Amino acid sequence: QYLSADAVTEASRLEGSNLFLISPAAVEAEILKRIPSVRSVQVSIGFSGEVRVAVREREPILLWTQKGESYWVDSDGVFFPALTERADLVRVDVQDTGPQIAFDRAADIDPEVVIQALELTVALPTGTRILYDAQHGLGMADLDGWTAYFGTSGQIDRKMDLYRRVVSALSAEGIRPVYVSVENLRQPFYRR
């Protein structure tokens, strides 16, 4: 869907190889190592000497921006390079500290964070920036000018309800926060 046949051929390092010396398992490992956006690959050699390479790509769910770079994230929490523009992905911007991105096929973030980012997108007004910080988890840049964090422990609906009640109470007292946290449902707090 996103990769070209030429990119897969180049990563396979098959061109010019002796057919009798090709190890399908070694070619599969090479493609997986060189192209992080590949979820799985199967290499087979036919009786006619034809080498077939079947590639299954990772499906991006999030567009993750960190330190000026953009990455795609799949449902397993695996990061891989953004291969084209996709306006339909949920965008998450790293505020201060994000995860170490290794391109080693292992999850760079907990898959629950991906699910919670989707839930947060549904719960927030359209156009709200979703944020991430390694210490505070998922958050948002509130349209009224402050930052709010919801953590990574789930319960987005309950946290959104608590957040709205905290902001309403602060507004009633004439307090304009800079930061509101409902990461812990039992201990919400704010800073001026």
Side-chain angles (χ1 to χ4, degrees):
Q1 191 174 6
Y2 305 106
L3 291 171
S4 68
D6 290 340
V8 174
T9 301
E10 183 181 328
S12 72
R13 297 187 174 181
L14 282 172
E15 204 162 302
S17 296
N18 182 327
L19 182 65
F20 297 104
L21 299 177
I22 294 173
S23 162
V27 173
E28 290 167 3
E30 190 66 26
I31 292 170
L32 290 171
K33 181 176 85 175
R34 296 187 75 205
I35 308 177
S37 62
V38 172
R39 178 179 287 283
S40 64
V41 62
Q42 188 172 22
V43 176
S44 60
I45 302 172
F47 291 114
S48 65
E50 179 180 82
V51 178
R52 292 183 164 256
V53 179
V55 171
R56 184 170 163 228
E57 295 175 278
R58 295 185 178 281
E59 188 58 42
I61 294 177
L62 303 179
L63 172 63
W64 191 278
T65 62
Q66 180 171 317
K67 294 182 181 175
E69 298 290 325
S70 293
Y71 306 95
W72 284 347
V73 183
D74 73 359
S75 61
D76 296 326
V78 176
F79 281 62
F80 52 104
L83 300 173
T84 187
E85 292 293 321
R86 291 269 313 260
D88 61 321
L89 300 177
V90 171
R91 182 184 174 123
V92 178
D93 297 319
V94 173
Q95 277 292 89
D96 295 312
T97 309
Q100 285 291 107
I101 300 170
F103 294 138
D104 62 359
R105 306 185 43 73
D108 297 292
I109 57 169
D110 186 328
E112 281 297 309
V113 173
V114 176
I115 292 167
Q116 290 171 32
L118 297 175
E119 290 174 354
L120 195 54
T121 300
V122 171
L124 296 174
T126 303
T128 304
R129 256 180 75 214
I130 296 179
L131 309 173
Y132 179 85
D133 179 83
Q135 182 180 357
H136 302 290
L138 290 166
M140 70 170 180
D142 192 281
L143 300 175
D144 288 321
W146 55 80
T147 303
Y149 278 103
F150 302 93
T152 58
S153 63
Q155 302 178 320
I156 293 297
D157 289 341
R158 290 182 63 201
K159 289 180 179 180
M160 281 302 299
D161 180 56
L162 178 58
Y163 170 73
R164 289 182 181 113
R165 287 186 285 135
V166 167
V167 169
S168 178
L170 293 173
S171 180
E173 293 182 31
I175 297 171
R176 184 167 174 79
V178 172
Y179 176 92
V180 176
S181 172
V182 290
E183 298 165 53
N184 182 336
L185 284 167
R186 294 187 178 136
Q187 294 178 322
F189 66 92
Y190 71 94
R191 283 192 210 125
R192 290 183 189 203

PDB file of all heavy atoms in Angstrom, residues 17 27 33 47 52-53 67 105 110-111 127 135 140 159 173 188:
ATOM      1  N   SER A  17      21.828 -12.185  -6.988  1.00  0.00           N
ATOM      2  CA  SER A  17      22.162 -13.344  -6.156  1.00  0.00           C
ATOM      3  C   SER A  17      22.040 -14.643  -6.945  1.00  0.00           C
ATOM      4  O   SER A  17      21.230 -14.762  -7.860  1.00  0.00           O
ATOM      5  CB  SER A  17      21.219 -13.434  -4.952  1.00  0.00           C
ATOM      6  OG  SER A  17      21.377 -12.328  -4.122  1.00  0.00           O
ATOM      7  N   VAL A  27      16.515 -13.796   3.764  1.00  0.00           N
ATOM      8  CA  VAL A  27      15.959 -12.665   3.011  1.00  0.00           C
ATOM      9  C   VAL A  27      14.829 -12.019   3.810  1.00  0.00           C
ATOM     10  O   VAL A  27      14.738 -10.789   3.906  1.00  0.00           O
ATOM     11  CB  VAL A  27      15.474 -13.111   1.616  1.00  0.00           C
ATOM     12  CG1 VAL A  27      14.746 -11.983   0.900  1.00  0.00           C
ATOM     13  CG2 VAL A  27      16.645 -13.610   0.781  1.00  0.00           C
ATOM     14  N   LYS A  33      14.502  -6.252   8.953  1.00  0.00           N
ATOM     15  CA  LYS A  33      15.500  -5.402   9.605  1.00  0.00           C
ATOM     16  C   LYS A  33      15.608  -4.032   8.923  1.00  0.00           C
ATOM     17  O   LYS A  33      15.738  -3.008   9.589  1.00  0.00           O
ATOM     18  CB  LYS A  33      16.865  -6.097   9.583  1.00  0.00           C
ATOM     19  CG  LYS A  33      17.974  -5.302  10.270  1.00  0.00           C
ATOM     20  CD  LYS A  33      19.268  -6.088  10.291  1.00  0.00           C
ATOM     21  CE  LYS A  33      19.979  -5.861   8.981  1.00  0.00           C
ATOM     22  NZ  LYS A  33      21.301  -6.472   8.907  1.00  0.00           N
ATOM     23  N   PHE A  47       9.660 -23.383  -8.639  1.00  0.00           N
ATOM     24  CA  PHE A  47      10.399 -24.353  -9.450  1.00  0.00           C
ATOM     25  C   PHE A  47      11.011 -23.711 -10.688  1.00  0.00           C
ATOM     26  O   PHE A  47      12.027 -24.165 -11.196  1.00  0.00           O
ATOM     27  CB  PHE A  47       9.492 -25.520  -9.857  1.00  0.00           C
ATOM     28  CG  PHE A  47       9.112 -26.384  -8.699  1.00  0.00           C
ATOM     29  CD1 PHE A  47       7.802 -26.465  -8.275  1.00  0.00           C
ATOM     30  CD2 PHE A  47      10.080 -27.110  -8.023  1.00  0.00           C
ATOM     31  CE1 PHE A  47       7.450 -27.268  -7.211  1.00  0.00           C
ATOM     32  CE2 PHE A  47       9.747 -27.915  -6.950  1.00  0.00           C
ATOM     33  CZ  PHE A  47       8.424 -28.000  -6.534  1.00  0.00           C
ATOM     34  N   ARG A  52       9.508 -15.104  -5.022  1.00  0.00           N
ATOM     35  CA  ARG A  52       8.320 -14.307  -4.679  1.00  0.00           C
ATOM     36  C   ARG A  52       8.496 -13.754  -3.269  1.00  0.00           C
ATOM     37  O   ARG A  52       8.880 -14.488  -2.355  1.00  0.00           O
ATOM     38  CB  ARG A  52       7.053 -15.150  -4.732  1.00  0.00           C
ATOM     39  CG  ARG A  52       6.688 -15.571  -6.123  1.00  0.00           C
ATOM     40  CD  ARG A  52       5.379 -16.349  -6.102  1.00  0.00           C
ATOM     41  NE  ARG A  52       4.861 -16.403  -7.439  1.00  0.00           N
ATOM     42  CZ  ARG A  52       3.850 -15.652  -7.868  1.00  0.00           C
ATOM     43  NH1 ARG A  52       3.232 -14.835  -7.057  1.00  0.00           N
ATOM     44  NH2 ARG A  52       3.442 -15.736  -9.109  1.00  0.00           N
ATOM     45  N   VAL A  53       8.189 -12.482  -3.140  1.00  0.00           N
ATOM     46  CA  VAL A  53       8.268 -11.819  -1.840  1.00  0.00           C
ATOM     47  C   VAL A  53       6.900 -11.214  -1.558  1.00  0.00           C
ATOM     48  O   VAL A  53       6.438 -10.333  -2.285  1.00  0.00           O
ATOM     49  CB  VAL A  53       9.350 -10.712  -1.835  1.00  0.00           C
ATOM     50  CG1 VAL A  53       9.404 -10.032  -0.481  1.00  0.00           C
ATOM     51  CG2 VAL A  53      10.711 -11.276  -2.207  1.00  0.00           C
ATOM     52  N   LYS A  67      10.500  15.713  18.594  1.00  0.00           N
ATOM     53  CA  LYS A  67      11.787  16.332  18.245  1.00  0.00           C
ATOM     54  C   LYS A  67      11.868  16.684  16.762  1.00  0.00           C
ATOM     55  O   LYS A  67      12.873  16.443  16.101  1.00  0.00           O
ATOM     56  CB  LYS A  67      12.947  15.429  18.648  1.00  0.00           C
ATOM     57  CG  LYS A  67      13.071  15.242  20.142  1.00  0.00           C
ATOM     58  CD  LYS A  67      14.255  14.389  20.486  1.00  0.00           C
ATOM     59  CE  LYS A  67      14.324  14.219  21.999  1.00  0.00           C
ATOM     60  NZ  LYS A  67      15.394  13.304  22.403  1.00  0.00           N
ATOM     61  N   ARG A 105      11.180  -3.383  15.753  1.00  0.00           N
ATOM     62  CA  ARG A 105       9.980  -4.202  15.628  1.00  0.00           C
ATOM     63  C   ARG A 105       9.275  -4.439  16.954  1.00  0.00           C
ATOM     64  O   ARG A 105       8.229  -5.028  17.016  1.00  0.00           O
ATOM     65  CB  ARG A 105      10.289  -5.531  14.933  1.00  0.00           C
ATOM     66  CG  ARG A 105      10.988  -5.373  13.598  1.00  0.00           C
ATOM     67  CD  ARG A 105      11.187  -6.644  12.843  1.00  0.00           C
ATOM     68  NE  ARG A 105      10.047  -7.534  12.833  1.00  0.00           N
ATOM     69  CZ  ARG A 105       8.910  -7.344  12.145  1.00  0.00           C
ATOM     70  NH1 ARG A 105       8.772  -6.280  11.398  1.00  0.00           N
ATOM     71  NH2 ARG A 105       7.934  -8.210  12.202  1.00  0.00           N
ATOM     72  N   ASP A 110       3.312   1.474  25.023  1.00  0.00           N
ATOM     73  CA  ASP A 110       2.301   0.480  25.378  1.00  0.00           C
ATOM     74  C   ASP A 110       1.125   0.616  24.397  1.00  0.00           C
ATOM     75  O   ASP A 110       0.647   1.730  24.154  1.00  0.00           O
ATOM     76  CB  ASP A 110       1.838   0.740  26.811  1.00  0.00           C
ATOM     77  CG  ASP A 110       0.898  -0.320  27.350  1.00  0.00           C
ATOM     78  OD1 ASP A 110       0.126  -0.912  26.563  1.00  0.00           O
ATOM     79  OD2 ASP A 110       0.923  -0.542  28.568  1.00  0.00           O
ATOM     80  N   PRO A 111       0.644  -0.478  23.821  1.00  0.00           N
ATOM     81  CA  PRO A 111      -0.505  -0.406  22.903  1.00  0.00           C
ATOM     82  C   PRO A 111      -1.724   0.259  23.543  1.00  0.00           C
ATOM     83  O   PRO A 111      -2.560   0.822  22.834  1.00  0.00           O
ATOM     84  CB  PRO A 111      -0.786  -1.864  22.558  1.00  0.00           C
ATOM     85  CG  PRO A 111       0.512  -2.566  22.771  1.00  0.00           C
ATOM     86  CD  PRO A 111       1.187  -1.842  23.903  1.00  0.00           C
ATOM     87  N   GLY A 127     -10.291  19.584  16.745  1.00  0.00           N
ATOM     88  CA  GLY A 127      -9.219  20.573  16.643  1.00  0.00           C
ATOM     89  C   GLY A 127      -8.347  20.684  17.882  1.00  0.00           C
ATOM     90  O   GLY A 127      -7.379  21.435  17.881  1.00  0.00           O
ATOM     91  N   GLN A 135       6.362  11.372  31.411  1.00  0.00           N
ATOM     92  CA  GLN A 135       6.046  11.408  32.839  1.00  0.00           C
ATOM     93  C   GLN A 135       4.544  11.481  33.099  1.00  0.00           C
ATOM     94  O   GLN A 135       4.036  10.854  34.027  1.00  0.00           O
ATOM     95  CB  GLN A 135       6.730  12.600  33.499  1.00  0.00           C
ATOM     96  CG  GLN A 135       6.489  12.680  34.989  1.00  0.00           C
ATOM     97  CD  GLN A 135       7.200  13.882  35.610  1.00  0.00           C
ATOM     98  OE1 GLN A 135       7.911  14.619  34.943  1.00  0.00           O
ATOM     99  NE2 GLN A 135       6.990  14.067  36.899  1.00  0.00           N
ATOM    100  N   MET A 140      -3.744  17.198  26.629  1.00  0.00           N
ATOM    101  CA  MET A 140      -4.266  18.060  25.564  1.00  0.00           C
ATOM    102  C   MET A 140      -3.877  19.499  25.837  1.00  0.00           C
ATOM    103  O   MET A 140      -3.622  19.891  26.975  1.00  0.00           O
ATOM    104  CB  MET A 140      -5.779  17.955  25.482  1.00  0.00           C
ATOM    105  CG  MET A 140      -6.499  18.574  26.642  1.00  0.00           C
ATOM    106  SD  MET A 140      -8.270  18.659  26.296  1.00  0.00           S
ATOM    107  CE  MET A 140      -8.862  19.424  27.782  1.00  0.00           C
ATOM    108  N   LYS A 159     -12.101  10.313  33.506  1.00  0.00           N
ATOM    109  CA  LYS A 159     -11.127  11.392  33.659  1.00  0.00           C
ATOM    110  C   LYS A 159     -11.616  12.676  32.979  1.00  0.00           C
ATOM    111  O   LYS A 159     -11.406  13.768  33.504  1.00  0.00           O
ATOM    112  CB  LYS A 159      -9.765  10.965  33.123  1.00  0.00           C
ATOM    113  CG  LYS A 159      -9.096   9.934  34.016  1.00  0.00           C
ATOM    114  CD  LYS A 159      -7.750   9.503  33.475  1.00  0.00           C
ATOM    115  CE  LYS A 159      -7.099   8.498  34.410  1.00  0.00           C
ATOM    116  NZ  LYS A 159      -5.792   8.067  33.912  1.00  0.00           N
ATOM    117  N   GLU A 173     -14.372  29.991  40.772  1.00  0.00           N
ATOM    118  CA  GLU A 173     -13.578  30.724  41.763  1.00  0.00           C
ATOM    119  C   GLU A 173     -12.669  31.769  41.120  1.00  0.00           C
ATOM    120  O   GLU A 173     -11.860  32.412  41.807  1.00  0.00           O
ATOM    121  CB  GLU A 173     -12.738  29.748  42.588  1.00  0.00           C
ATOM    122  CG  GLU A 173     -13.583  28.846  43.473  1.00  0.00           C
ATOM    123  CD  GLU A 173     -12.732  27.910  44.310  1.00  0.00           C
ATOM    124  OE1 GLU A 173     -11.598  28.279  44.680  1.00  0.00           O
ATOM    125  OE2 GLU A 173     -13.212  26.790  44.595  1.00  0.00           O
ATOM    126  N   PRO A 188      -6.707  14.726  41.679  1.00  0.00           N
ATOM    127  CA  PRO A 188      -6.530  15.725  40.618  1.00  0.00           C
ATOM    128  C   PRO A 188      -5.850  16.959  41.222  1.00  0.00           C
ATOM    129  O   PRO A 188      -5.957  17.215  42.414  1.00  0.00           O
ATOM    130  CB  PRO A 188      -7.973  16.058  40.202  1.00  0.00           C
ATOM    131  CG  PRO A 188      -8.787  15.725  41.404  1.00  0.00           C
ATOM    132  CD  PRO A 188      -8.106  14.581  42.084  1.00  0.00           C
TER     133      PRO A 188
END
